[in-house]
Amino acid sequence: MTIVNHLIHGELTAGTGRSADVFNPSTGAATKKVALADRATMQLAIDSAKSAFPAWRNTPPAKRAQVMFRFKQLLEQHEATIAKLISEEHGKTIEDAVGELKRGIENVEFACAAPEILKGEYSRNVGPNIDAWSDLQPIGVVAGITPFNFPAMVPLWMYPLAIVCGNCFILKPSERDPSSTLYIAQLLIEAGLPKGVLNVVHGDKEAVDALIEAPEVKALSFVGSTPIAEYIYSEGTKRGKRVQALGGAKNHAVLMPDADLDNAVSALMGAAYGSCGERCMAISVAVCVGDQIADALVEKIVPQIKALKIGAGTSCGLDMGPLVTGAARDKVKGYIDAGVAQGASLVVDGRDLVVAGNENGFFVGGTLFDKVTPEMTIYTDEIFGPVLCIVRVGSLEAAMQLINDHEYGNGTCIFTRDGEAARLFCDEIEVGMVGVNVPLPVPVSYHSFGGWKRSLFGDLHAYGPDGVRFYTRKKAITQRWPQRASHEAAQFAFPSNG
Ligand code: NAD
């Protein structure tokens, strides 16, 4: 069976740790094994990154950016291979895999601007013959720990920017779908990245703990579920590391009575069922303001859910593939059982879906609940599956209160033709990313991505301008070069221009 190996100091190696099965979720079969790093293997990667740092730190930003230009070309050239690898291990459709890769490439494009984004600020004559400037310096060895649901895009949120900022990076991808992540990293080596600047080490808790505890690792970027985000944030910051930990979500879409319903339904279909609901920005709750819009939504959306084209992700022209693992499928079905037991109205039931020819795949069909209330677990918890819940409320204020009371605050959106309602929503909703008639308001690469409340631990958002701040340390330099040597008497009052 193929083993997905680590990439340490530019070489593939199995290391000395354990291994785990990697599945094809469309067939349910274990198709590969992935090496799981022990502490000794992780230390090899840390040593490699540390040894590469002095030279990389002093490489001109324009040269670092040139590697990223070549990387972008290679990513585009190998789009089909990467999309197939994603789909084979994650289960998402080929078109969806291409979409995630393209959004990842946008982060590489942003990193290509390294000389511009690292310029700092300069002031001449802040005092007599004194100039001052700020320098954005790299941190050193930094690490990223990424989730299964975007094996290409989320790592690309992190390491291109960290690396052009002059850092050396250790990536610990999800062990559930590691092949596309490894393949992409190999393309960066092919683009000319020196050995050790990027190392990819697969693993589970043991590997992550080794990164948290290593004094050489100065910063950690994490994306994944909230309990692990909280763990990494608290353990990392306790050790004096800079940590940015993005967690889970429960994203609400508000449907106002004046919404353009046909377009809102199309938007909800893609946002709730795309990628089988395994997106941190997936819409999983439709909050309908008034029974009239709720009834109209149910009438229009039910036939579309029943018509979803579901099958092996690697086939083209589908709407939805399977969930990532058998455990994920069982968890989603368990939530649907709980929704029924807790009294929600199950309008479309995806539990019994069987895909002909792929009977052992990890499939759950599109599911819709109506009349969901805030105490139900299908409302409180992140299900991470193709389940949309309708909650009925009486006013925009009640809809906003519901959203603001939820523990997560990643994304949200409002469907309306009313500018006043949209403005109030944008101003007062306690969520990090907001869409107005846009269901998945994922910021483009030159803005930054991040939720509020228990969807993000840390001060800065991911990628874009906040990413530059996260991966650099600011140094303020004040310099005097008197025009000719002259003696100045000691000055005991605090220096000022007064
Ligand atoms: P996960 O938390 O299970 O795993 C994420 C990473 O943490 C993986 O690399 C995994 O190996 C590692 N990990 C798992 N258990 C660990 C432990 N006990 N100690 C240390 N490390 C551990 O998440 P997942 O299932 O891969 O991804 C889905 C979750 O990620 C969802 O909650 C989703 O909302 C979230 N997510 C959030 C964002 C965001 O931007 N906020 C983006 C994508 C995914």
Side-chain angles (χ1 to χ4, degrees):
M1 201 181 258
T2 309
I3 299 210
V4 185
N5 282 321
H6 313 296
L7 179 65
I8 299 178
H9 214 65
E11 307 293 332
L12 291 173
T13 168
T16 49
R18 298 160 288 132
S19 66
D21 287 335
V22 178
F23 289 86
N24 178 337
S26 299
T27 63
T31 51
K32 295 176 194 164
K33 286 214 174 274
V34 59
L36 300 178
D38 55 12
R39 282 169 185 269
T41 306
M42 185 57 88
Q43 193 58 45
L44 293 175
I46 294 169
D47 293 344
S48 159
K50 201 176 161 203
S51 70
F53 180 60
W56 186 245
R57 172 190 195 279
N58 289 323
T59 301
K63 282 215 169 297
R64 295 184 210 141
Q66 282 165 7
V67 178
M68 291 299 157
F69 276 105
R70 288 193 289 273
F71 182 40
K72 170 181 151 64
Q73 284 172 341
L74 288 172
L75 288 170
E76 287 168 346
Q77 203 179 313
H78 294 278
E79 176 187 288
T81 308
I82 296 167
K84 186 163 173 286
L85 284 173
I86 296 172
S87 184
E88 279 171 357
E89 293 178 5
H90 176 285
K92 66 176 74 176
T93 67
I94 289 287
E95 294 85 346
D96 194 24
V98 169
E100 106 158 69
L101 177 62
K102 284 187 192 292
R103 287 303 291 262
I105 291 173
E106 289 177 16
N107 293 91
V108 179
E109 289 166 355
F110 183 77
C112 287
E116 170 66 24
I117 58 189
L118 292 173
K119 271 195 315 209
E121 293 162 330
Y122 184 87
S123 298
R124 184 169 175 271
N125 279 344
V126 296
N129 296 319
I130 301 176
D131 304 325
W133 72 93
S134 61
D135 206 5
L136 297 176
Q137 300 200 341
I139 304 172
V141 176
V142 301
I145 298 141
T146 51
F148 81 85
N149 66 325
F150 285 107
M153 182 183 78
V154 171
L156 290 172
W157 284 0
M158 298 177 181
Y159 66 77
L161 195 53
I163 285 173
V164 294
C165 288
N167 301 287
C168 292
F169 201 93
I170 299 167
L171 175 66
K172 206 302 287 167
S174 171
E175 66 278 29
R176 283 181 248 171
D177 49 6
S179 295
S180 62
T181 321
L182 177 66
Y183 184 86
I184 289 173
Q186 288 177 288
L187 293 180
L188 182 52
I189 308 292
E190 189 183 328
L193 194 75
K195 284 182 179 180
V197 178
L198 174 66
N199 295 283
V200 179
V201 185
H202 307 287
D204 53 16
K205 181 169 168 37
E206 184 178 352
V208 173
D209 284 343
L211 287 170
I212 294 173
E213 287 161 25
E216 302 92 330
V217 176
K218 304 296 180 197
L220 296 166
S221 303
F222 172 85
V223 177
S225 60
T226 287
I228 311 295
E230 219 168 1
Y231 168 74
I232 289 176
Y233 184 76
S234 83
E235 291 301 315
T237 51
K238 207 187 280 175
R239 291 168 173 80
K241 294 186 201 304
R242 191 178 280 197
V243 186
Q244 176 178 69
L246 281 67
K250 191 81 180 176
N251 306 309
H252 302 67
V254 176
L255 270 79
M256 294 294 284
D258 65 352
D260 170 347
L261 192 59
D262 285 331
N263 280 323
V265 168
S266 300
L268 281 179
M269 285 298 297
Y273 302 109
S275 202
C276 211
E278 290 175 319
R279 291 179 182 146
C280 68
M281 291 291 275
I283 293 291
S284 50
V285 185
V287 187
C288 293
V289 178
D291 283 332
Q292 212 176 339
I293 189 91
D295 293 340
L297 170 65
V298 172
E299 195 184 318
K300 276 197 192 285
I301 204 167
V302 166
Q304 296 193 30
I305 299 172
K306 290 186 173 162
L308 278 169
K309 286 179 265 159
I310 304 172
T314 40
S315 324
C316 286
L318 295 175
D319 300 323
M320 215 173 91
L323 288 155
V324 67
T325 56
R329 175 203 52 204
D330 296 345
K331 183 177 151 209
V332 171
K333 284 188 177 183
Y335 273 114
I336 302 174
D337 295 344
V340 173
Q342 289 166 20
S345 157
L346 183 58
V347 185
V348 185
D349 182 358
R351 283 175 295 187
D352 295 329
L353 176 79
V354 176
V355 173
N358 286 83
E359 287 78 5
N360 295 324
F362 308 136
F363 292 95
V364 175
T367 297
L368 180 71
F369 277 108
D370 193 4
K371 301 188 177 137
V372 173
T373 53
E375 331 72 58
M376 296 176 181
T377 49
I378 50 169
Y379 176 76
T380 53
D381 296 5
E382 181 181 43
I383 300 175
F384 227 53
V387 182
L388 179 64
C389 297
I390 297 176
V391 178
R392 296 170 178 236
V393 295
S395 65
L396 173 60
E397 287 69 24
M400 289 171 62
Q401 191 64 53
L402 185 78
I403 298 170
N404 288 349
D405 286 346
H406 203 286
E407 64 170 324
Y408 295 123
N410 214 38
T412 188
C413 69
I414 185 168
F415 292 100
T416 184
R417 291 182 168 101
D418 178 347
E420 188 186 345
R423 192 163 193 277
L424 176 77
F425 188 76
C426 294
D427 275 357
E428 297 195 3
I429 206 71
E430 289 173 21
V431 173
M433 293 169 282
V434 183
V436 175
N437 300 317
V438 172
L440 296 175
V442 177
V444 288
S445 64
Y446 38 98
H447 288 263
S448 298
F449 179 110
W452 284 15
K453 298 186 274 185
R454 286 168 58 74
S455 293
L456 186 146
F457 302 87
D459 301 317
L460 294 168
H461 286 194
Y463 67 74
D466 265 16
V468 178
R469 290 181 198 111
F470 183 77
Y471 290 122
T472 56
R473 277 193 301 192
K474 213 173 221 185
K475 189 175 275 181
I477 299 159
T478 306
Q479 175 175 273
R480 166 185 274 180
W481 288 108
Q483 285 190 342
R484 52 184 76 80
S486 58
H487 177 75
E488 283 183 18
Q491 195 184 323
F492 295 97
F494 202 67
S496 77
N497 278 320

